[in-house]
Amino acid sequence: MSSILQSSMTECHPASVPDFTPVQQLRDLQLRRLRSVVARTWQHVELFRSRMDELGITPDDIRSLEDIAKLPFTKKTDLRDTYPFGLFASPMKDIVRLHASSGTTGKPIVVSYTQEDLNVWTSVLVRALAGCGLHRGDIIQVAYGYGLFTGGLGAHYGAEALGATVVPSSGGHADRQIMLMRDFGVTAMCCTPTYFLHLIDRAAELGIDMKKLPLRAGVFGAEPWTESIRQHIESGSNIEAFDIYGLSEIIGPGVGCECQRHTGLHIFEDHFYPEIIDPDTGAPLPDGCEGELVLTTLSKQAMPMIRYRTRDITTILPGQCECGRTLRRIGRIGRRSDDMLIIRGVNVFPSQIETALLQTEGTLPHYQILLTRVQGLDQLEVQVEVTPEMFNDKIGALQELHQKLQGSLDRVLGIRVRVSLVEANSIERSEGKAKRVIDRRTS
Ligand code: DLL
């Protein structure tokens, strides 16, 4: 077991957890690890070495943390092009786990871990869960999918190493999830935020009041969610909702997580070095500027990632968190640079639609964006569920809500979209990541 894991497993006392390392000490550690990971990747990964050659640089050119900007980026297409094992830096005999994430085109991307990588992954999850106020004695239900997806197993081992009792329910079977939550006295839930919303609704249908369960925290991630969704979750269940971030290419869940201050997500910087770049030019941006998050794994053995372009749009928040952690924070990830829809020439982000919808009273946090093409022209329809009271009320109330939504979407998006108000529970629920956009356009 790594010493980091051991120290993380003790009580969450500032002196014992790497989250509180003095900044200069952290930067020194990052530089040492950066130089070492660059040298290792250069030695073992052909694609990386050839890109360094093209740029005329060698690992010796990395002398400061700022020198990271000299290094080439890695992109998702690099993982696809070298499918399945082309970016591995360790021999297969040292690799103890593979995970994969489905891509939009055919083959998945494959990621690998040595035992040491798994220990690091567990240690960051321990730190994430401890930062959410969880500890030994908690009963944590993990309803992220177990399997090739990193969510289930990642959260599982972290919760176990924390000393909590783990209920590995995996995704799906809402009624059974609720029964386990109630009968086992579950105190914390790990799943996607949209799946938890579904569980709140389903519990109400079953006559179970979530607010009366011992549940006190939820650690939600794997998909973008907004403050409005947090409010719906917290008011529907009386729990404290935390945002956890991660991606398979870097490790899985546990790259960053909110602490109890809820002012951004702390990145576990001793293992994952964050940068923000301009997504169009690739130029590094200063703290406080919004751009694409780029991550470098500082300690990964099996499959190090150098300057991986996540496509996730966020900012590195300036200043230190009041919790005392020295780890830098990113703002919550509301969108990806590649989820932008272009409708009749106008850029539209699903997160803008979500915010406009959920700020209006009478709507439920379940919606779908439907794209079609009529006579060569793109049409965007937003279907949103409305509360049963609203749906059963006089027609005038529905019309008024419709007008309000139409007005705010027109204003926010700058184009005319169609709004359809639909009955509660009519939009299909997902057990994992919600599918918000249905594209029926044929070119
Ligand atoms: O979703 C890992 C994970 C599992 C994270 C469980 C948190 C909890 P992938 O399937 O590879 O890995 O998808 C990674 O999901 O690049 C983001 O676009 C999105 N994502 C993950 N967490 C968040 C979050 C897992 N908290 C991709 N907020 C990432 C917004 C998120 N987006």
Side-chain angles (χ1 to χ4, degrees), residues 53-316:
D53 287 349
E54 274 166 35
L55 293 170
I57 51 170
T58 69
D60 287 338
D61 290 306
I62 305 306
R63 294 194 199 96
S64 68
L65 283 172
E66 290 67 44
D67 286 340
I68 199 170
K70 296 178 179 167
L71 295 168
F73 290 118
T74 309
K75 293 187 181 159
K76 201 177 206 118
T77 46
D78 297 326
L79 279 90
R80 288 214 186 96
D81 296 346
T82 55
Y83 175 87
F85 304 151
L87 295 184
F88 290 9
S90 295
M92 209 58 194
K93 68 176 173 49
D94 293 340
I95 287 172
V96 297
R97 174 99 66 83
L98 298 174
H99 278 281
S101 118
S102 51
T104 39
T105 52
K107 292 270 177 18
I109 56 147
V110 181
V111 295
S112 61
Y113 306 77
T114 62
Q115 186 56 52
E116 222 172 298
D117 293 333
L118 290 183
N119 292 348
V120 167
W121 192 12
T122 298
S123 77
V124 287
L125 248 311
V126 168
R127 289 158 66 184
L129 297 172
C132 300
L134 300 175
H135 45 66
R136 179 184 293 268
D138 269 304
I139 303 179
I140 304 182
Q141 185 159 328
V142 180
Y144 287 117
Y146 279 62
L148 288 175
F149 177 54
T150 54
L153 286 169
H156 179 102
Y157 285 109
E160 222 171 64
L162 180 74
T165 307
V166 184
V167 182
S169 58
S170 193
H173 306 287
D175 291 8
R176 196 184 59 190
Q177 301 274 5
I178 295 162
M179 180 188 79
L180 297 175
M181 282 158 78
R182 187 190 54 189
D183 296 352
F184 294 1
V186 167
T187 56
M189 194 74 188
C190 297
C191 61
T192 59
T194 48
Y195 190 57
F196 192 72
L197 280 173
H198 174 50
L199 293 180
I200 295 178
D201 290 350
R202 186 63 195 144
E205 281 168 13
L206 296 171
I208 295 169
D209 187 353
M210 274 254 191
K211 293 183 187 159
K212 297 217 171 103
L213 301 182
L215 200 65
R216 64 184 173 86
V219 188
F220 304 120
E223 62 184 6
W225 54 306
T226 55
E227 276 307 307
S228 311
I229 297 263
R230 195 205 300 267
Q231 278 158 23
H232 274 277
I233 287 178
E234 293 189 338
S235 63
S237 63
N238 255 355
I239 67 163
E240 189 174 354
F242 294 88
D243 194 357
I244 185 164
Y245 169 73
L247 61 164
S248 319
E249 296 89 319
I250 297 302
I251 205 150
V255 171
C257 192
E258 279 183 339
C259 66
Q260 287 169 304
R261 305 288 165 144
H262 299 282
T263 51
L265 292 84
H266 290 281
I267 297 286
F268 296 108
E269 284 197 77
D270 43 337
H271 296 294
F272 317 113
Y273 189 82
E275 296 171 84
I276 298 289
I277 60 157
D278 178 324
D280 298 324
T281 65
L285 294 175
D287 289 2
C289 283
E290 189 180 78
E292 180 180 339
L293 178 65
V294 170
L295 291 165
T296 297
T297 59
L298 295 177
S299 53
K300 203 123 177 274
Q301 300 284 315
M303 196 171 159
M305 281 287 131
I306 308 289
R307 301 194 87 201
Y308 184 71
R309 292 193 59 163
T310 64
R311 296 279 166 201
D312 293 321
I313 303 292
T314 183
T315 29
I316 291 182

